[in-house]
Amino acid sequence: MAVPPDLADPPDLRVDIEQIFNAHFTEIHRYIARRLSDDTADDLAAEVFLAAYRGGYDASRGGVRPWLYGIATHLIARHRRTEIRRWKALSRMAGRAERSDEDAALARVAAGELTGKLAGALAGLNRGDRDVVLLSSLGELSHAEVAAALQIPAGTVASRLNRARKQLRKALGDVNPLEETHG
Amino acid sequence: MDELRLLARSLPDAPPPSAEVVKQAHARLSAAQQEPVRPGRAHRRGLVWGWTLGAAAATVAIVMAVVTLVSNVIAAPTPMLVPASGNDVLLRLADLVAKQPDEGGAYWRRPLLNNGLTRVRAGGETFNVLISSRIDLWQPRDPHDPVQAEQRQQFVRPATKADERAWRTAGSPVTVQRVCTPGTSAGDCRKIRLRSKPSQCVYTRAAKPSGVLGDSRLDELTLADLAALPSDPGQLREKLRTFWEARKDSRSKTSFEAFLATSSVLLELPVRPAVRAAALRLLAGLPTTKVHGSIVDPLGRPGIEVTFIKSEGFAGEFGTDDEVAQRFATVLDPRTGTVLAANVAIAAESAEGLAKGTFMDYQAWAAEAGWTSDRPERPSGCRLSNRQLS
């Protein structure tokens, strides 16, 4: 489906890009690295700030963080195949986690299984749902911030989250991870 | 604790970027700051946007073959030729339009074709189908007459001759499987039924005594409101300001300048030629307006390609490719200044099964658009609905 064009760039309110870079580079890098890889993040995180600088900060798009996360998410989208491969690999790897270690390792194995199931579920989500989920969880953005980041209605954010949550819950199956991970 | 926090905790974390990485990123940013400032866009894809007329013409020829439309233009003025791009093209078009007489007729027709290209698979073959739906709006001059809107699926067909060959090789299947990007759930990637005849027709028919038009993108307007619009660009601008102010509360984020760019909506409304001319002059003066030159629209008609709002740097899914660069265009009739096609998504790069320059989806105004002395007949084989059609 096509994305309809939005309004022409409104007048930019340029804020200090230097300050924005210093305050947010690390977290944007982390967000990208967790979805793709450290190496990719090295390059893409820099691109986020270049795009941010060139595009200019528009106050009507909400806060600085949603704006940066929105750009990052857009850039990540170009690496969709890489991301899906990553989640699938993680899902397989966790499934094969060795159980040879002693008790201390058991918790880690359980966590690994959990990670695997979640990663498998992430690979199966459609892109829009995955973006909303990961902006919410990894980026810790609120509904309103996710809406601003992706420039979609808040209602859409809510429905995508609902759908994705169901998938995640289904993937977790009968395991009761919400309790297991409390330890 | 819920699934989201569980995710954040369970997915592998990443180490912070090294000092070297931060330094390099910062250096790139500093270098960019030395560049001259240009009105950029955050979501730019860094591609050279080009328009391949050859590819476009090829697509156009095919679309023409499937959508046969009869022009109802009688004694049409000579189409304006577009010698070069530049917004003065719109000014010259405005001069032409301003001389045209007001149109008469009991009804104004807005027949819109919503067409889009989709990649599909069947019998070991992969090809494209064109999915077409149509909405016919009949807007009465007299608010006591019924407003009629009819919506139907027109057809789903192989898009080109080559696609048709692939479809035949596949055994001319009735249903085909959509090709989707990896990771799309089966529910979102359904089978498509090919159809050569219109189906799923629904219509509404009722008088709307208020006379308010369905298209409220500018404001809730009646034909009388449109008739009263000034034909002077400066006065029109001020009139638009009153519309903008009226909506300011609910859409406070939009600046007046941004709102003005959307006044291209006037070209899609039944306004007098003099008002359309004023709108063209107004739009020609906006920094957001860009004339891209001559184009053959998706239905094979010569037109002027123009953009009024942000139109580049977009992307859409096509087949397995989740990110095909697209640009959007509006095509104006070079005789009347009305819209021939809007929201025309054009592939800005080639992808599997898609040549750069191909029309991916669009909203085309069929040739019977405009004022007519005809009246809408109740469509046969069409379900009457109470639901508002847009």
Side-chain angles (χ1 to χ4, degrees):
Chain A
M1 273 309 291
V3 185
D6 58 8
L7 289 179
D9 298 325
D12 290 338
L13 170 68
R14 281 200 181 273
V15 295
D16 193 349
I17 191 72
E18 197 73 20
Q19 205 183 321
I20 290 175
F21 179 89
N22 291 335
H24 301 288
F25 184 78
T26 303
E27 70 165 313
I28 292 296
H29 184 277
R30 182 182 179 209
Y31 171 69
I32 298 171
R34 291 185 82 181
R35 289 188 65 171
L36 299 172
S37 71
D38 300 353
D39 290 349
T40 316
D42 290 351
D43 184 47
L44 279 200
E47 270 193 49
V48 167
F49 289 84
L50 282 177
Y53 170 72
R54 291 185 174 137
Y57 174 57
D58 170 13
S60 74
R61 296 216 170 147
V64 170
R65 285 184 74 244
W67 171 55
L68 294 173
Y69 274 97
I71 299 173
T73 303
H74 188 81
L75 293 178
I76 288 170
R78 293 196 214 163
H79 299 263
R80 175 184 170 129
R81 288 174 197 87
T82 310
E83 186 183 13
I84 289 173
R85 270 200 302 274
R86 174 185 172 82
W87 299 132
K88 283 188 175 163
L90 196 59
S91 157
R92 283 193 301 271
M93 238 157 52
R96 274 192 256 110
E98 285 184 44
R99 289 164 188 271
S100 59
D101 278 1
E102 298 306 312
D103 288 358
L106 279 180
R108 208 172 61 221
V109 172
E113 275 176 350
L114 193 63
T115 304
K117 284 180 173 167
L118 288 170
L122 277 178
L125 292 182
N126 71 43
R127 189 176 109 205
D129 293 0
R130 190 167 51 240
D131 284 343
V132 167
V133 161
L134 294 179
L135 282 172
S136 306
S137 61
L138 304 185
E140 294 178 17
L141 299 190
S142 67
H143 276 37
E145 288 175 325
V146 172
L150 300 178
Q151 294 186 269
I152 55 176
T156 308
V157 173
S159 60
R160 285 185 185 179
L161 264 184
N162 270 337
R163 198 164 50 212
R165 272 205 170 109
K166 264 185 216 149
Q167 297 273 91
L168 293 174
R169 239 177 267 142
K170 201 169 121 199
L172 292 169
D174 50 347
V175 189
N176 192 348
L178 300 185
E179 283 174 16
E180 276 181 32
T181 51
H182 276 303
Chain B
M1 184 80 183
D2 65 1
E3 292 82 6
L4 298 183
R5 275 162 62 197
L6 186 64
L7 257 186
R9 277 174 54 161
S10 306
L11 296 179
D13 206 345
S18 68
E20 185 57 30
V21 165
V22 178
K23 202 176 131 193
Q24 278 179 9
H26 189 262
R28 282 173 71 182
L29 186 59
S30 301
Q33 284 175 285
Q34 306 306 314
E35 293 167 6
V37 176
R38 60 196 164 92
R41 285 157 181 134
H43 292 175
R44 186 180 289 279
R45 280 177 55 94
L47 290 168
V48 179
W49 310 105
W51 172 244
T52 319
L53 195 61
T59 314
V60 159
I62 291 132
V63 175
M64 269 182 82
V66 278
V67 187
T68 311
L69 290 161
V70 183
S71 172
N72 66 354
V73 178
I74 300 159
T78 317
M80 197 190 61
L81 297 172
V82 184
S85 59
N87 292 3
D88 55 338
V89 167
L90 294 181
L91 296 176
R92 290 206 296 282
L93 176 58
D95 291 342
L96 194 69
V97 174
K99 290 179 201 141
Q100 289 163 12
D102 291 357
E103 296 120 312
Y107 272 87
W108 180 74
R109 291 190 68 180
R110 193 200 63 182
L112 281 185
L113 297 164
N114 282 300
N115 292 1
L117 213 53
T118 296
R119 192 121 183 101
V120 297
R121 190 173 46 229
E125 297 287 321
T126 310
F127 52 96
N128 299 340
V129 293
L130 186 67
I131 302 178
S132 176
S133 63
R134 174 170 175 142
I135 294 186
D136 273 287
L137 172 71
W138 292 76
Q139 181 70 45
R141 192 182 287 277
D142 180 347
H144 297 102
D145 284 333
V147 179
Q148 182 169 302
E150 178 190 343
Q151 182 183 314
R152 61 179 183 268
Q153 297 298 316
Q154 286 283 92
F155 58 77
V156 181
R157 295 176 184 168
T160 67
K161 289 277 178 221
D163 292 322
E164 196 181 328
R165 279 195 297 275
W167 173 67
R168 288 193 193 286
T169 306
S172 308
V174 178
T175 54
V176 291
Q177 172 62 52
R178 235 187 98 190
V179 174
C180 300
T181 54
T184 307
S185 67
D188 289 336
C189 192
R190 291 179 197 282
K191 290 196 164 157
I192 297 172
R193 196 178 181 80
L194 268 62
R195 295 173 190 279
S196 55
K197 293 197 177 98
S199 63
Q200 299 168 44
C201 184
V202 181
Y203 78 106
T204 61
R205 184 183 167 105
K208 201 173 176 187
S210 70
V212 173
L213 302 172
D215 186 340
S216 60
R217 283 178 289 175
L218 282 180
D219 201 350
E220 298 214 321
L221 301 168
T222 62
L223 285 177
D225 293 330
L226 291 182
L229 287 176
S231 56
D232 170 79
Q235 286 172 13
L236 182 61
R237 186 189 171 99
E238 288 317 301
K239 185 69 193 170
L240 287 166
R241 190 187 291 281
T242 63
F243 294 156
W244 174 70
E245 279 165 353
R247 61 155 59 190
K248 226 177 147 187
D249 295 336
S250 55
R251 307 192 195 183
S252 54
K253 305 290 190 208
T254 309
S255 67
F256 180 52
E257 285 67 29
F259 176 72
L260 272 182
T262 65
S263 66
S264 58
V265 168
L266 285 171
L267 307 178
E268 299 182 34
L269 289 170
V271 297
R272 292 178 285 136
V275 174
R276 203 179 309 127
L280 287 167
R281 291 194 175 106
L282 176 66
L283 289 162
L286 299 179
T288 38
T289 298
K290 208 171 158 196
V291 175
H292 298 261
S294 297
I295 190 175
V296 175
D297 95 330
L299 302 189
R301 303 167 293 192
I304 301 171
E305 184 193 347
V306 57
T307 52
F308 302 110
I309 55 174
K310 175 175 169 171
S311 57
E312 294 187 356
F314 290 92
E317 290 189 355
F318 188 80
T320 55
D321 202 321
D322 56 336
E323 197 85 353
V324 179
Q326 291 180 324
R327 61 194 184 84
F328 284 81
T330 300
V331 182
L332 298 183
D333 188 318
R335 294 167 303 199
T336 61
T338 53
V339 168
L340 290 176
N343 300 318
V344 183
I346 302 163
E349 64 184 346
S350 294
E352 198 206 321
L354 183 76
K356 180 177 168 180
T358 306
F359 296 119
M360 295 175 71
D361 35 73
Y362 51 86
Q363 225 170 39
W365 293 57
E368 48 275 35
W371 286 101
T372 174
S373 53
D374 291 349
R375 288 173 175 274
E377 287 175 17
R378 284 183 185 269
S380 58
C382 197
R383 187 169 59 82
L384 181 63
S385 165
N386 296 322
R387 194 171 55 89
Q388 184 81 30
L389 300 178
S390 51

